[in-house]
Amino acid sequence: MRWRTNHALAALLALWPLGVGADAVPSASGRAVVEWPIAESGASPVLGLSPDRVMTVSFLDSAGGPWPVSQLEGPQASWLTVRRATEHPHVVILRTAARKAWPDDFSADLVVLLTGLPEPVHLMFEPEDARAPTAITVRIGQPRAAGLPVHAAVQPRGSDFDAAVREYLLANPQVLREALDPARQLASRVAEHRDELLAAAGVPALGDLSGGVTVVEFFDYRCGYCKRSLGAVRGLLQADGVRVELREFPILGEESEAAARAALAAARQGAYEAAHFALMAHEGAFDAAALESILGELGLDLERLKADMASAEVSALIRANRELATRLGVTGTPAFLVLGPGGVEVSPGALDPDRLAAMIDAAS
């Protein structure tokens, strides 16, 4: 196991101040331990995968207690499946196929959001000829309760403080509902930043540009759940009164950022819509050759495209999306935000056309 710093991770530091500061420690039982303290670092552990095996990744806090996984973004392919364990919410399971089913060259990213921890944990995987550990323990460098106010942990029951809290919550029950419901928290922050979301200079918009309802999607071109939602998004373009705002939010590595830059560069040639759906429909790598093939078929000027991909304007758009996502509390993809005259509806995760239509109706 080793550590890697790359361009995409360095760019994500403004969004993810969680980093790696210590080497992985192998154990005698086929288990490796990754120490993951809270620190500013551009490094992520690179873990080995062996063919035809099952690997578990367990997340613990600094005291050794389980830290449940609330959201998981990872590759889903014929040679590798990733899922959360049903009986142990702090465990992620990876299953690999026989080596002959693997692509010739690959790297896989796993982005995990832990309950109560706003910054995602990023792990990277590469093929390993030797037998890789069958179990990985990721220890987060803080206790799960570290985010709680001190008085919440030490104030005795029956105190004046507890009575005051109880009285306040009885008078303001929405505070407790929002605290216990991440979707409510997200909706509240979206409402606070409504004007910023709707005044989206330079952000690609499709559909009815004068529509009274705006659907905002934060997405990543390598995100499988984003691809599952493609039909729902495409259907919006035919809906009356619905404006669709697409915010590039590349969080799954260098190829995600390259695809986002390519789409925004295509927008400078008036081809964002075609580029977006072509990139989202693509299954496979987003290396330079793949991007050139996908966008070349659209008749774009590829030399101009390459120059625009590296431009300050494109960099600024991606940076602005990341900064806005941080303020909103968007940590995964896709995230759908529906803003209308009747209110705000949110869906952090994949959705189908019926669910999206219901959100639009509720916000109208």
Side-chain angles (χ1 to χ4, degrees):
M1 193 179 306
R2 63 191 187 279
W3 307 98
R4 172 181 295 174
T5 302
N6 59 36
H7 174 74
L9 290 175
L12 288 175
L13 286 178
L15 175 63
W16 297 351
L18 186 67
V20 177
D23 288 338
V25 181
S27 73
S29 60
R31 177 181 293 273
V33 178
V34 175
E35 299 287 356
W36 196 292
I38 302 296
E40 288 198 7
S41 169
S44 279
V46 181
L47 309 171
L49 285 178
S50 293
D52 197 21
R53 301 188 77 190
V54 174
M55 173 188 285
T56 61
V57 182
S58 303
F59 296 90
L60 306 179
D61 68 4
S62 59
W67 200 316
V69 174
S70 63
Q71 188 168 340
L72 174 66
E73 290 282 359
Q76 299 292 336
S78 59
W79 57 273
L80 174 64
T81 58
V82 180
R83 64 178 178 85
R84 282 182 282 189
T86 54
E87 297 181 359
H88 304 285
H90 67 293
V91 176
V92 174
I93 299 173
L94 297 88
R95 183 185 298 272
T96 58
R99 188 70 175 91
K100 63 182 180 180
W102 292 25
D104 293 334
D105 183 28
F106 86 94
S107 63
D109 293 87
L110 185 66
V111 179
V112 180
L113 184 64
L114 303 178
T115 301
L117 188 70
E119 302 87 357
V121 176
H122 184 194
L123 307 177
M124 303 176 69
F125 295 89
E126 289 188 350
E128 189 171 279
D129 293 333
R131 302 295 280 178
T134 57
I136 302 291
T137 297
V138 180
R139 285 203 297 243
I140 307 301
Q142 68 177 47
R144 283 190 61 202
L148 294 175
V150 173
H151 55 247
V154 302
Q155 193 75 14
R157 290 178 179 238
S159 67
D160 291 341
F161 175 82
D162 285 339
V165 169
R166 182 176 184 275
E167 182 178 350
Y168 176 80
L169 291 177
L170 287 174
N172 301 275
Q174 76 281 357
V175 173
L176 184 58
R177 287 196 297 268
E178 289 183 5
L180 297 176
D181 187 344
R184 285 181 179 271
Q185 295 178 37
L186 177 57
S188 177
R189 288 189 289 265
V190 169
E192 291 175 8
H193 294 275
R194 182 187 187 97
D195 291 344
E196 184 178 0
L197 281 161
L198 296 178
V203 175
L206 304 175
D208 185 349
L209 300 185
S210 61
V213 174
T214 293
V215 177
V216 180
E217 181 189 7
F218 284 84
F219 67 92
D220 184 307
Y221 285 113
R222 294 181 63 202
C223 165
Y225 296 104
C226 300
K227 294 179 185 295
R228 292 184 197 178
S229 304
L230 184 60
V233 175
R234 194 187 295 274
L236 292 179
L237 305 190
Q238 310 304 320
D240 292 332
V242 178
R243 174 177 172 271
V244 182
E245 183 179 299
L246 296 167
R247 288 190 177 261
E248 317 278 337
F249 187 40
I251 61 173
L252 297 177
E254 289 182 340
E255 291 191 1
S256 293
E257 177 150 348
R261 287 180 174 276
L264 292 172
R268 298 168 73 85
Q269 297 187 45
Y272 181 82
E273 180 176 341
H276 173 77
F277 287 109
L279 290 167
M280 194 59 78
H282 176 69
E283 299 288 346
F286 282 114
D287 54 22
L291 291 174
E292 183 172 335
S293 174
I294 295 167
L295 299 175
E297 292 181 1
L298 303 180
L300 299 182
D301 181 336
L302 295 180
E303 291 304 314
R304 178 185 171 189
L305 185 85
K306 293 176 185 177
D308 286 338
M309 285 176 65
S311 69
E313 292 81 3
V314 166
S315 297
L317 277 173
I318 294 175
R319 182 171 61 252
N321 286 344
R322 285 174 172 153
E323 291 172 352
L324 179 57
T326 299
R327 292 193 292 276
L328 295 174
V330 172
T331 56
T333 55
F336 288 93
L337 321 175
V338 181
L339 299 90
V344 170
E345 296 290 319
V346 300
S347 176
L351 43 70
D352 59 27
D354 291 340
R355 167 63 177 148
L356 188 52
M359 291 170 63
I360 292 171
D361 287 343
S364 297

